[in-house]
Amino acid sequence: MNYRERVVIVTGASSGIGRQLALDFAERGANLVLAARRGDALEQVATECRKGGVQVEVCVGDLAERAFAESLMARALARFGRLDILVNNAGIPKHKPIFQVTPEDVDATLRVNFLAPAYLCVAAIPPMLRQGGGYLVNISSAAGRVPPPRESVYAASKYALTGFSEGLALDLEGSHIHPVVIHVGPIDTEIWDKLESPARFRGVKHPPRIVSEAVFRCIEKRRFEATVPRSLWWVFLLKLLLPGVFRRGAAGYDPVSPESLDEARRAARS
């Protein structure tokens, strides 16, 4: 596929997976609209991308705000007149016991992880229809298939994004707009430093490059779905075939301590 002069939006582009995707699209000659909250870090990524001769529009803001999310589409059309690929990559973690989750936690997590991608997809569809096609890429999570302990709200946001992507595949059949969903496992990014409570996971954290490779593979081969790393499929299969065994194993992997339950009961009584 020839990416030269194509126009790509990448959210969450200041670090991690988004940064890798931005650099890889720029290397292939695509013009970019990059969005993130941290202006300095985002500008550094944009500078690296411009070294390859591509044009880059930098958009600094919070995707939890609907107006900012929808403005990305307007910025792309104003500068480039088209949009070929939308990559909804931005996301926030929410790793805390359900006893400690607040309504504000639920609202913020769903706004960034699900509502913003949904707003952007809805905004991107009309111009893609006008120009004859495009790609909607949603970076979901393994948690969008199997909920980890202490991540009920995060899992719900990613289940929503996965379900939305599957619905897009049905609704956009024959439109030449191709949706993609990537289920991402443990990747070595800054998200691990933003967890409210320590993660139990001690396994291998894979480089963001493998997610970028999966995105390009799905675009170029018009595949709907990819799981990164691929070894996660055995977990998905276990949940499908033996859901009770999966739930007991997952709960035992990072169990709720009696002390935590006692503390939650005291808080509830007070």
Side-chain angles (χ1 to χ4, degrees):
M1 179 172 175
N2 182 13
Y3 294 91
R4 192 158 300 279
E5 301 301 324
R6 300 283 182 114
V7 179
V8 183
I9 291 177
V10 181
T11 67
S14 60
S15 66
I17 295 169
R19 176 182 180 275
Q20 185 68 57
L21 282 162
L23 295 175
D24 289 346
F25 275 114
E27 184 181 14
R28 289 163 171 80
N31 294 321
L32 296 165
V33 178
L34 304 181
R37 288 180 295 179
R38 296 179 297 170
D40 292 345
L42 188 61
E43 191 57 55
Q44 290 177 6
V45 175
T47 299
E48 290 185 64
C49 292
R50 291 186 184 112
K51 291 177 181 177
V54 304
Q55 299 181 62
V56 182
E57 181 82 2
V58 173
C59 304
V60 180
D62 189 351
L63 283 164
E65 301 296 330
R66 177 179 171 181
F68 175 69
E70 293 179 334
S71 74
L72 299 183
M73 192 67 241
R75 295 276 292 271
L77 294 178
R79 176 146 186 191
F80 301 110
R82 61 184 293 115
L83 176 67
D84 297 285
I85 302 169
L86 167 64
V87 183
N88 284 308
N89 165 72
I92 60 173
K94 190 55 59 183
H95 184 82
K96 60 197 302 188
I98 193 63
F99 313 117
Q100 300 172 11
V101 170
T102 66
E104 291 76 18
D105 290 333
V106 176
D107 183 71
T109 307
L110 286 171
R111 281 179 181 272
V112 176
N113 291 1
F114 171 61
L115 290 178
Y119 294 150
L120 277 164
C121 285
V122 168
I125 288 170
M128 287 184 176
L129 286 172
R130 287 195 298 270
Q131 70 196 29
Y135 298 84
L136 304 173
V137 181
N138 292 323
I139 307 297
S140 187
S141 168
R145 291 290 192 201
V146 289
R150 303 176 192 269
E151 297 193 2
S152 298
V153 175
Y154 178 78
S157 70
K158 293 301 187 177
Y159 263 79
L161 185 58
T162 294
F164 179 70
S165 302
E166 292 179 347
L168 287 176
L170 302 177
D171 293 347
L172 295 172
E173 180 69 27
S175 69
H176 302 294
I177 301 174
H178 182 70
V180 173
V181 61
I182 310 292
H183 295 108
V184 176
I187 304 298
D188 190 11
T189 70
E190 294 176 0
I191 199 168
W192 298 94
D193 302 325
K194 300 176 182 178
L195 302 180
E196 292 90 345
S197 59
R200 177 75 182 272
F201 180 78
R202 295 293 183 272
V204 175
K205 296 175 184 175
H206 301 270
R209 168 182 49 80
I210 70 169
V211 181
S212 182
E213 290 171 351
V215 169
F216 285 101
R217 192 162 57 245
C218 287
I219 289 174
E220 291 162 13
K221 297 185 177 181
R222 296 189 69 82
R223 293 179 180 171
F224 166 69
E225 185 175 12
T227 299
V228 183
R230 294 177 182 177
S231 57
L232 284 171
W233 270 108
W234 75 267
V235 182
F236 298 172
L237 188 61
L238 176 64
K239 179 176 179 288
L240 178 65
L241 298 179
L242 298 168
V245 172
F246 165 79
R247 281 193 293 273
R248 288 192 295 273
Y253 174 74
D254 192 2
V256 178
S257 68
E259 294 79 11
S260 296
L261 283 172
D262 289 341
E263 183 181 346
R265 290 188 182 104
R266 287 193 296 270
R269 294 188 186 107
S270 64

